[in-house]
Amino acid sequence: MSEGHLGINTEYGDWEWSADAGERARLLQSPNVETGPKGNEECGPAATSKLGAVFIVVNAALGAGLLNFPAAFSMAGGVAAGITLQMCMLVFIIGGLVILAYCSQASNERTYQEVVWAVCGKVTGILCEVAIAVYTFGTCIAFLIIIGDQQDKIIAALMKDSTGAESGHWYTDRKFTISITAFLLILPLSVPKEIGFQKYASCLSVVGTWYVTAIIIIKYIWPDENIPEEITMSPSSWMSVFNAMPTICFGFQCHVSSVPVFHSMKQPEVKPWGAVVTAAMVIALFVYTGTGVCGYLTFGSSVEPDVLMSYPSNDIPVAIARVSIIVCVLTSYPILHFCGRAVLEGLWLRYKGEAVEEDVVRERRRRLLQTVSWFLLTLLLALFIPDIGKVISLIGGLAACFIFVFPGLCLIHTKLSEIQEARPAGWWAMVSYGVFMVILGAFIFGQTTTNAIFMDLKK
């Protein structure tokens, strides 16, 4: 940080809406990260190594979103367009992660929304928290849809009679299977106040996503079916390329959880963090590219929004991949719900002017009400929105705000807060880069959200 840097938005007026925001220094802490006290104190034994940080960031980035990448390549206009788009966006994705670390040091804050609050002020901070709540809510809906998709195929393989006809029993109905799975497995995991127990399950989910990618690549190299009828080699229009952006943003979005990961490192400095996130994003790039390319080339333009739905239900290796994705989603839903619930809790406590855990009984009652309401709403919407592509189109545009808009705003405010008699070319370059990120993110959000609302939702 440059000399002459002042504290950012440290006036009391910026925080007078709440003397104790409740969620400060607590929200969106990664369950894989053991954070220590603020400041530059010597790191304890729980500090994360560079290699460990790479794994955590990869863990945060990889997920069930990879199922939509083959369809994204199809929308983008083929393999060349899809890879080119990913490579171009990756520069800004990595840049956003580095900017967040830089602004976190400048503001001495340890979570994404705290950095935005401290650097950009109250209004932008509230918008950031609302965006996080909406994003996590939409992602939970997508997870439930994925469970329904995979269960449909598994049940179809298990319930065929001797003639090959599929069973039509009530207990094989999609709405019933999603509901029973959600009530028996997801709801109990979502109720606890803390989710530290999920750290080991998260590692299992990462292994599952790697297996899915491996199966898609193997099935392309040794296909069981004929070559697809149509494989597009170029985009039909430049606008079609932008339709693939929500999926890419959704897949690579790990920015919300990146700040606590940065502070958990043995050396929480911008330069080593840049190496960490570059390595992590390159690994994620190979996984997503392998899935997107091989999945698209296997099925061509007929590929389903959820690529596993394009494979036959009686394929055993693919059935194992479906189980792996279900496990991944079952462990990821409670983590996303915890993040969204924590943001809502913080907004409520700040609005009421109450301290966190002031009344244990009220906190427990409020947590149960929030959890059950969140769970029932996401389940209800998932039952009546069977197409995961429509959900990702909406939340993918919102993910662009976390990758581009908020980091760009943070960079602009941080640089503007520096007191310098003469502002060198580097200062102007950083501010210009921040402005460009905000404009780019706003364009992606506006274009993809408008397209999702006026095209997908009206079909």
Side-chain angles (χ1 to χ4, degrees), residues 92 99 408 411-412 415 420 423-437:
F92 298 100
I99 288 170
L411 180 61
I412 294 169
K415 300 307 291 183
Q420 296 178 345
R423 290 174 172 173
W427 185 93
W428 287 105
M430 294 283 281
V431 172
S432 300
Y433 183 76
V435 172
F436 181 75
M437 286 191 68

Side-chain angles (χ1 to χ4, degrees), residues 273-352:
W273 174 249
V276 165
V277 297
T278 300
M281 291 300 100
V282 168
I283 293 172
L285 175 68
F286 277 106
V287 174
Y288 285 134
T289 301
T291 304
V293 171
C294 295
Y296 172 68
L297 292 179
T298 301
F299 299 104
S301 58
S302 63
V303 65
E304 297 286 342
D306 179 343
V307 65
L308 291 183
M309 297 296 289
S310 298
Y311 293 95
S313 58
N314 60 354
D315 191 310
I316 295 178
V318 176
I320 297 174
R322 293 191 176 103
V323 174
S324 299
I325 285 296
I326 291 176
V327 172
C328 172
V329 168
L330 289 175
T331 58
S332 298
Y333 182 106
I335 296 175
L336 267 294
H337 164 259
F338 172 83
C339 296
R341 186 181 71 198
V343 170
L344 294 177
E345 176 77 354
L347 287 169
W348 172 256
L349 291 175
R350 189 184 299 112
Y351 174 75
K352 299 292 290 185

Side-chain angles (χ1 to χ4, degrees), residues 68-79 81-82 85 232 234-248 296 300-301 303-305 389-390 392-393 451 456 459:
N68 199 238
F69 267 71
F73 274 59
S74 177
M75 286 186 291
V79 172
L85 183 61
T232 306
S234 61
S236 57
S237 66
W238 69 273
M239 285 298 294
S240 66
V241 177
F242 290 104
N243 293 333
M245 283 186 171
T247 299
I248 296 174
Y296 172 68
S301 58
V303 65
E304 297 286 342
K390 294 180 179 180
I392 290 181
S393 294
N451 182 72
D456 294 337
K459 285 183 179 179

